[in-house]
Amino acid sequence: MTRTTDGSPEAPPPAGGGGPQGFAAEVRDAVSLRAALLLFGVLALQIAFITSYIGAFHKPEPHEIPLAVVTPSAPLTEETVTRLAALPGDPLDPRATADEAVARERIENREIDGALVVAPRGTTDRLLIASASGASLSQALTEVVAAAERAQGRSLDVVDVVPGSPGDARGLSSFYLVVGWCVGGYLCAAILAISAGARPANGHRALIRLGALLLYSIAAGLLGAVIAGPVLDALPGGVPALWGLGALVVFTVGALTLACQGLAGIVGIGLAILLVVVLGNPSAGGAYPYPLLPPFWRAIGPALPPGAGTFAARSISYFRGNGAGGPMLVLAAWAVAGSLITVVCALRRTTGTAGTTGTTGR
């Protein structure tokens, strides 16, 4: 036994050891290899989040904004279209249109984002815009066309043919409503995984989870539509149409999350966040509609649930549902695929564990 300088016995070392080997053992015991790998996954997800959001938003530039051109004569129309198409950076995608009535109809159908109506006499032309499609988009379109007009010694009057609601600042309410629905969808699926195992034990349990998700989606869709509409007066679209869209968005994201969990276990929650939050939200066309986003985000946005939901919500709220069909099909495709993958993974898990006991999923 060792003694201290005053002759008293030295106290024994603390349990677990205080040396390097003891500390390393405690670290290994406190942070398992699985936990360390999950932490690296979280770090990668965080870096992807930062990269995606800053990459999408740090330098918005207009690119091929669909624009109708209406002039008094065919030769002038061709000249104007050619001139606008040759602008540096290709900010516009001009196309000849028969008359102003047709141009307005195409704007209301969400086929184009604006129209330049050249005056037959005088030097003041009119630009028709739809600020309900996004204030940043209509602002960018106005700036580009105004600069092109000034270069020709002409001026511009701006007419907003589809204005946003006074309670919908910069047209962002549709985007945030869809983001809220998406959050509810993957949190509902994540809670089911945390409370009863990431992978359902069998096909019946998978169907029960999908049924619970459907009920949640119906309630969440209704509450979101009521809050955005009658309660806050942010979106003018009718509650039933927004309710249906909301239920579809929530169920789609939840089914996608359940499918990811069926494929990858608890890591599937991270995969769902990668698709919906990291990639989906900045490419959704919310703060900056598609023509203002960089190529990568502009390409993936319409194919992901947040982008499809945002476009459909704006169409329902301001454009009488015009243009919402394609995005609704995208959401439905994700919902069906997610549901099928969830059930198939559960059935394969049941087959693979036949004859064994103590399944962990429920």
Side-chain angles (χ1 to χ4, degrees), residues 94-120:
R95 66 280 306 267
T97 304
D99 54 42
E100 182 177 340
V102 173
R104 285 176 175 264
E105 182 180 0
R106 296 184 68 187
I107 292 173
E108 293 171 356
N109 288 338
R110 306 209 72 181
E111 298 173 11
I112 57 176
D113 292 316
L116 175 63
V117 182
V118 179

Side-chain angles (χ1 to χ4, degrees), residues 259-272:
C260 290
Q261 291 168 184
L263 292 170
I266 199 68
V267 176
I269 297 176
L271 295 178

Side-chain angles (χ1 to χ4, degrees), residues 81-156:
V81 168
T82 301
R83 174 170 52 84
L84 294 176
L87 292 176
D90 298 324
L92 302 176
D93 179 17
R95 66 280 306 267
T97 304
D99 54 42
E100 182 177 340
V102 173
R104 285 176 175 264
E105 182 180 0
R106 296 184 68 187
I107 292 173
E108 293 171 356
N109 288 338
R110 306 209 72 181
E111 298 173 11
I112 57 176
D113 292 316
L116 175 63
V117 182
V118 179
R121 291 178 294 274
T123 59
T124 301
D125 301 328
R126 285 185 300 131
L127 176 65
L128 310 182
I129 64 170
S131 62
S133 294
S136 57
L137 176 59
S138 58
Q139 180 180 347
L141 177 60
T142 300
E143 291 174 355
V144 171
V145 176
E149 288 283 276
R150 285 194 300 270
Q152 298 296 312
R154 304 181 69 84
S155 58
L156 194 67

Side-chain angles (χ1 to χ4, degrees), residues 65-80:
I65 302 175
L67 176 74
V69 176
V70 180
T71 73
S73 65
L76 180 58
T77 299
E78 183 177 353
E79 176 189 342
T80 305

Side-chain angles (χ1 to χ4, degrees), residues 134-307:
S136 57
L137 176 59
S138 58
Q139 180 180 347
L141 177 60
T142 300
E143 291 174 355
V144 171
V145 176
E149 288 283 276
R150 285 194 300 270
Q152 298 296 312
R154 304 181 69 84
S155 58
L156 194 67
D157 283 340
V158 179
V159 180
D160 195 348
V161 297
V162 188
S165 169
D168 185 12
R170 298 192 63 80
L172 292 176
S173 296
S174 299
F175 170 61
Y176 287 120
L177 174 61
V178 171
V179 168
W181 280 330
C182 290
V183 169
Y186 66 71
L187 284 182
C188 176
I191 288 173
L192 289 172
I194 293 172
S195 63
R199 296 183 175 98
N202 53 51
H204 291 157
R205 297 296 176 90
L207 291 175
I208 290 172
R209 289 191 183 187
L210 288 170
L213 173 64
L214 178 59
L215 294 176
Y216 175 86
S217 301
I218 293 172
L222 174 60
L223 292 174
V226 169
I227 291 172
V231 174
L232 297 179
D233 196 24
L235 295 177
V239 168
L242 284 176
W243 178 10
L245 173 64
L248 180 57
V249 169
V250 176
F251 184 82
T252 295
V253 174
L256 168 63
T257 306
L258 289 175
C260 290
Q261 291 168 184
L263 292 170
I266 199 68
V267 176
I269 297 176
L271 295 178
I273 292 175
L274 175 65
L275 285 172
V276 177
V277 179
V278 175
L279 296 176
N281 284 355
S283 65
Y288 296 111
Y290 298 139
L292 303 183
L293 292 175
F296 173 74
W297 289 268
R298 185 167 63 243
I300 67 173
L304 294 176

Side-chain angles (χ1 to χ4, degrees), residues 13-30:
Q21 292 183 348
F23 179 75
E26 287 192 19
V27 170
R28 287 193 299 271
D29 184 60

